[in-house]
Amino acid sequence: MPLFDTHNTWAFVFGLMGNVISFAVFLSPVPTFYRVWKKKTTEGFQSLPYVVALFSATLWLYYATQKKDVFLLVTINAFGCFIETIYISMFLAYAPKKARMLTVKLLLLMNFGGFCLILLLCQLLAKGTTRTKIIGGICVGFSVCVFAAPLSIIRTVIKTRSVEYMPFSLSLTLTISAVIWLLYGLALKDIYVAFPNVIGFALGALQMILYVVYKYCKTTPHLGEKEVEAAKLPEVSLDMLKLGTISSPEPPIAVVRQANKCTCGNDRRAEIEDGQNAKNGKQSSSAEAT
């Protein structure tokens, strides 16, 4: 059997294009990890996206081994496993102890424990097409969760009315990648490859629309918080004015300044002086009487 099945021309073309685009997507974090290597610190970066990407590539690689004529699906996911392993290794080398321990726990829970459990159950309890369907269903479910991750970014864009947190180049690349792999799945008539990329394409198209809508928006990302703070200031001023008018007819500013001073010590000192003056007055009067 040849490595590349050219009988299905469209599947070969779309698979080859998908490999090229996905290679670029997998290599996009290289500048980040170059900076990590150069500065010898992870600078607060999280390892979860890379652990999830490794688990996803491993699942799809396992699925591809159960199919025929999907060598292009094998190549891209094998490369994904390789490059994500490098990223995680660098993260473990330069991350602080707390982040390193969390990454190790995620790897043991997801990439080792979770994948080994899926592998054993599928190998022991399912055979043939049934095993392929089970693995494909697991891959689809996990891929849907991964594609749903940009929902938080979409929510941030709508809330802040700014595309600062949604880089156009990355969103465009991911959208094109979803389209190419969708066409690849349709060419192979593989619903497990095609379906997740329908969701990926829909979310990518939504990001593109939002980018066009908010591209020329002048609102700053934190304007919502500033508006809330500005709305609170009149309420505080109003309360201070009320306190001023109740306590004294003088201007509110003077009342506020006086209210901030502690006069209890002065009052106590005046009482003591009055008592001493009264006592001295009595002593002087008795002296005159004698």
Side-chain angles (χ1 to χ4, degrees), residues 13-255:
V13 171
F14 291 133
L16 193 60
M17 293 173 61
N19 269 254
V20 173
I21 296 175
S22 295
F23 269 115
V25 173
F26 277 126
L27 292 175
S28 60
V30 167
T32 298
F33 280 92
Y34 175 75
R35 187 168 62 183
V36 168
W37 171 78
K38 189 175 181 179
K39 294 186 176 181
K40 311 300 181 185
T41 176
T42 55
E43 297 182 332
F45 291 116
Q46 302 295 322
S47 62
L48 182 60
Y50 310 105
V51 175
V52 170
L54 176 61
F55 185 56
S56 177
T58 306
L59 284 177
W60 281 109
L61 185 59
Y62 179 42
Y63 173 76
T65 60
Q66 308 298 315
K67 299 277 292 184
K68 295 180 179 180
D69 303 329
V70 289
F71 183 77
L72 292 172
L73 194 61
V74 174
T75 55
I76 188 58
N77 286 289
F79 177 76
C81 291
F82 172 74
I83 195 68
E84 297 298 337
T85 300
I86 293 178
Y87 293 154
I88 295 172
S89 299
M90 292 184 64
F91 186 91
L92 291 174
Y94 298 114
K97 183 177 180 180
K98 185 177 180 180
R100 188 185 302 116
M101 294 304 297
L102 178 60
T103 303
V104 172
K105 291 178 181 179
L106 289 174
L107 287 171
L108 292 176
L109 179 64
M110 185 183 300
N111 299 80
F112 182 76
F115 179 74
C116 288
L117 181 62
I118 293 173
L119 181 64
L120 289 175
L121 292 178
C122 290
Q123 290 295 128
L124 297 177
L125 302 180
K127 296 181 179 180
T129 56
T130 303
R131 179 190 299 166
T132 304
K133 291 179 180 179
I134 293 174
I135 301 171
I138 295 173
C139 291
V140 168
F142 189 77
S143 296
V144 168
C145 295
V146 172
F147 278 125
L151 290 176
S152 60
I153 301 177
I154 293 174
R155 179 177 177 272
T156 302
V157 170
I158 296 175
K159 184 178 179 180
T160 62
R161 303 177 66 82
S162 171
V163 295
E164 178 183 356
Y165 303 103
M166 187 177 66
F168 178 79
S169 58
L170 180 59
S171 299
L172 179 61
T173 303
L174 292 176
T175 303
I176 295 175
S177 177
V179 172
I180 295 300
W181 286 111
L182 169 61
L183 296 175
Y184 176 75
L186 293 177
L188 288 177
K189 298 180 180 179
D190 191 327
I191 188 63
Y192 300 109
V193 175
F195 180 73
N197 289 287
V198 173
I199 299 176
F201 168 70
L203 292 176
L206 179 59
Q207 292 183 49
M208 297 295 99
I209 294 173
L210 290 176
Y211 189 89
V212 172
V213 170
Y214 294 118
K215 180 179 179 180
Y216 301 103
C217 185
K218 303 300 182 181
T219 305
T220 57
H222 301 291
L223 185 59
E225 297 178 2
K226 292 182 179 179
E227 291 176 350
V228 173
E229 294 298 328
K232 290 181 179 179
L233 290 177
E235 297 177 359
V236 176
S237 302
L238 181 61
D239 292 337
M240 296 301 292
L241 288 173
K242 288 181 180 178
L243 291 174
T245 53
I246 291 174
S247 59
S248 173
E250 296 179 359
I253 297 177
V255 174

